[in-house]
Amino acid sequence: MSDTLKLAKELVSRPSVTPEDMGCQKMLADRLAAIGFEIEHLRFDDTDNLWARRGTAAPLFVFAGHTDVVPTGPEENWKFPPFEPAIENGQLYGRGTADMKGSIAAMVTACERFIAAQPSHQGSIAFLITSDEEGPAHNGTIKVIETLEARNEKIDWCLVGEPSSTSKVCDVIKNGRRGSIGARLTIKGKQGHVAYPHLARNPIHEFAPVLKILTDTTWDEGNDFFPPTTFQVSNIHAGTGATNVIPGECVVDFNFRFSTAITDQQIRERVETLLDEFKLDYEIEWALSGQAFLTAEGRLVDATSDAIKAVCGYETELSTAGGTSDGRFIAPTGAQVVELGPLNATIHQVNEHVAVDDLDTLSDVYENILQRLLG
């Protein structure tokens, strides 16, 4: 059993359902302190965060990840207990194996080998680990970044261990993510009897033509790295439950996943202009989850691509598809950010698993990246 597999199993065995860490970060801190990392435990409200750094010189390379996992769902539906890691047919089963305790284990063992071989490496290496990625993400990476920015501690390169691979390990590098902005729109009408519509005002009817325009609108054309911006309604709620009552208000939840071809402010303005044109009586609450970011080129992308070619023997693909990640908090500081991790086929699912061999491959790729950037 490799060091990477051993550490992955130890991490998975801890039921760290978000925002709980269950001692995972202490375990990581002990391993990192043993190879020369200075340790800071940063707790904000209910969230444990770890900042561990080796060296003070620039450039600063950061491994970023999270020890929290999503709930398991009914444990009786799992092949093996979700927090009792088990191996079957070369696959390691357990909650967090792919998202993303396996990646964290690979990062640590990659550093251990790299530092053993090059104890006087260039620059600095750090770990930014949170237990608030799968939850609201209010007290995790974003707060650590605020702390670093306040003391002018700048990240040059950051590798986030999110499961980026599709068909085989390291076949995809996420070099950016779409932005995400959501809203809760409340359209106010006048409640009344359906038999006397002239005495009421139906907010659903008033919003219907606006919804048609929103869904038909081309918000942008995307660009070389991002598909066009998309609009999706996630919930519409209105009515008292009775079929003979016109509702007094209609509440609509919707979300935009947007490219770098448009800004969140432009989206807000276009939506509110449309609502005003239809003279709706409304309130709207916007929530920006993260800005779009892109690391189109540079030493980090080159080193990551070259390392995959050297270790795996094949070319990788750059992609910005998928949801958001904590990279959205790191990229705005000016850091180059990529995401590279195991296959994402079973993340958040019952019987989440990762190939044992992929963990060792991932560790080798991480080590190779370190050699190219700091060797």
Side-chain angles (χ1 to χ4, degrees), residues 176-178 221-228 258-260 292-294 320:
R177 291 283 190 165
R178 293 177 296 174
E221 300 294 340
N223 52 39
D224 290 343
F225 295 96
F226 290 93
F258 61 96
S259 74
T260 52
F293 70 90
L294 178 69
T320 61

Side-chain angles (χ1 to χ4, degrees), residues 179-183 214 219-220 229-231 254-259 262-274 284 286 288:
S180 174
I181 185 170
L214 289 171
W219 299 91
D220 59 53
T229 293
T230 60
F231 165 83
F254 58 83
N255 180 270
F256 287 89
R257 294 301 167 103
F258 61 96
S259 74
I262 195 171
T263 68
D264 65 291
Q265 188 59 40
Q266 289 172 323
I267 290 172
R268 297 175 201 238
E269 291 173 356
R270 289 174 65 176
V271 170
E272 292 180 18
T273 296
L274 181 62
I284 190 165
W286 293 96
L288 178 66

Side-chain angles (χ1 to χ4, degrees), residues 134-149:
E134 299 290 8
H138 292 159
N139 297 301
T141 299
I142 188 170
K143 289 291 182 66
V144 178
I145 290 296
E146 289 173 359
T147 300
L148 298 178
E149 287 287 286

Side-chain angles (χ1 to χ4, degrees), residues 168-196:
K168 53 187 177 182
V169 67
C170 298
D171 62 349
V172 175
I173 300 169
K174 302 286 189 183
N175 66 319
R177 291 283 190 165
R178 293 177 296 174
S180 174
I181 185 170
R184 170 158 289 184
L185 172 66
T186 302
I187 304 101
K188 300 174 183 178
K190 183 179 179 182
Q191 184 173 308
H193 197 293
V194 297
Y196 303 95

Side-chain angles (χ1 to χ4, degrees), residues 53-330:
R53 178 168 178 164
R54 187 181 197 273
T56 58
L60 172 59
F61 178 95
V62 173
F63 284 114
H66 60 91
T67 52
D68 59 321
V69 298
V70 295
T72 63
E75 294 195 13
E76 61 270 20
N77 294 340
W78 285 69
K79 182 181 296 189
F80 307 102
F83 297 112
E84 296 178 17
I87 298 174
E88 180 181 82
N89 297 324
Q91 302 290 327
L92 175 65
Y93 285 82
R95 175 59 85 222
T97 50
D99 188 14
M100 56 169 285
K101 292 179 175 180
S103 299
I104 292 175
M107 292 170 177
V108 171
T109 57
C111 279
E112 289 173 337
R113 295 192 306 274
F114 175 71
I115 290 168
Q118 300 194 54
S120 300
H121 59 79
Q122 301 176 41
S124 304
I125 309 171
F127 279 71
L128 195 172
I129 307 295
T130 184
S131 65
D132 182 34
E133 196 274 346
E134 299 290 8
H138 292 159
N139 297 301
T141 299
I142 188 170
K143 289 291 182 66
V144 178
I145 290 296
E146 289 173 359
T147 300
L148 298 178
E149 287 287 286
R151 62 196 193 197
N152 200 33
E153 194 167 357
K154 291 292 187 180
I155 298 170
D156 296 283
W157 303 309
C158 180
L159 190 152
V160 186
E162 289 291 346
S164 63
S165 304
T166 302
S167 300
K168 53 187 177 182
V169 67
C170 298
D171 62 349
V172 175
I173 300 169
K174 302 286 189 183
N175 66 319
R177 291 283 190 165
R178 293 177 296 174
S180 174
I181 185 170
R184 170 158 289 184
L185 172 66
T186 302
I187 304 101
K188 300 174 183 178
K190 183 179 179 182
Q191 184 173 308
H193 197 293
V194 297
Y196 303 95
H198 59 288
L199 299 178
R201 198 173 77 251
N202 194 320
I204 300 175
H205 293 189
E206 291 185 348
F207 179 62
V210 178
L211 177 59
K212 180 69 165 65
I213 294 172
L214 289 171
T215 54
D216 290 347
T217 294
T218 298
W219 299 91
D220 59 53
E221 300 294 340
N223 52 39
D224 290 343
F225 295 96
F226 290 93
T229 293
T230 60
F231 165 83
Q232 287 291 312
V233 172
S234 54
N235 189 52
I236 298 180
H237 177 77
T240 63
T243 61
N244 61 351
V245 179
I246 293 172
E249 67 177 29
C250 175
V251 179
V252 184
D253 295 325
F254 58 83
N255 180 270
F256 287 89
R257 294 301 167 103
F258 61 96
S259 74
T260 52
I262 195 171
T263 68
D264 65 291
Q265 188 59 40
Q266 289 172 323
I267 290 172
R268 297 175 201 238
E269 291 173 356
R270 289 174 65 176
V271 170
E272 292 180 18
T273 296
L274 181 62
L275 297 172
D276 292 338
E277 286 177 356
F278 276 77
K279 297 182 171 54
L280 298 184
D281 182 6
Y282 71 92
E283 293 178 354
I284 190 165
E285 298 176 8
W286 293 96
L288 178 66
S289 299
Q291 297 285 2
F293 70 90
L294 178 69
T295 303
E297 57 186 13
R299 287 194 63 193
L300 180 59
V301 169
D302 292 345
T304 306
S305 299
D306 292 344
I308 292 168
K309 178 68 173 178
V311 173
C312 302
Y314 44 77
E315 303 289 343
T316 192
E317 173 191 351
L318 297 178
S319 171
T320 61
T324 60
S325 78
D326 275 2
R328 70 190 189 271
F329 303 128
I330 301 167

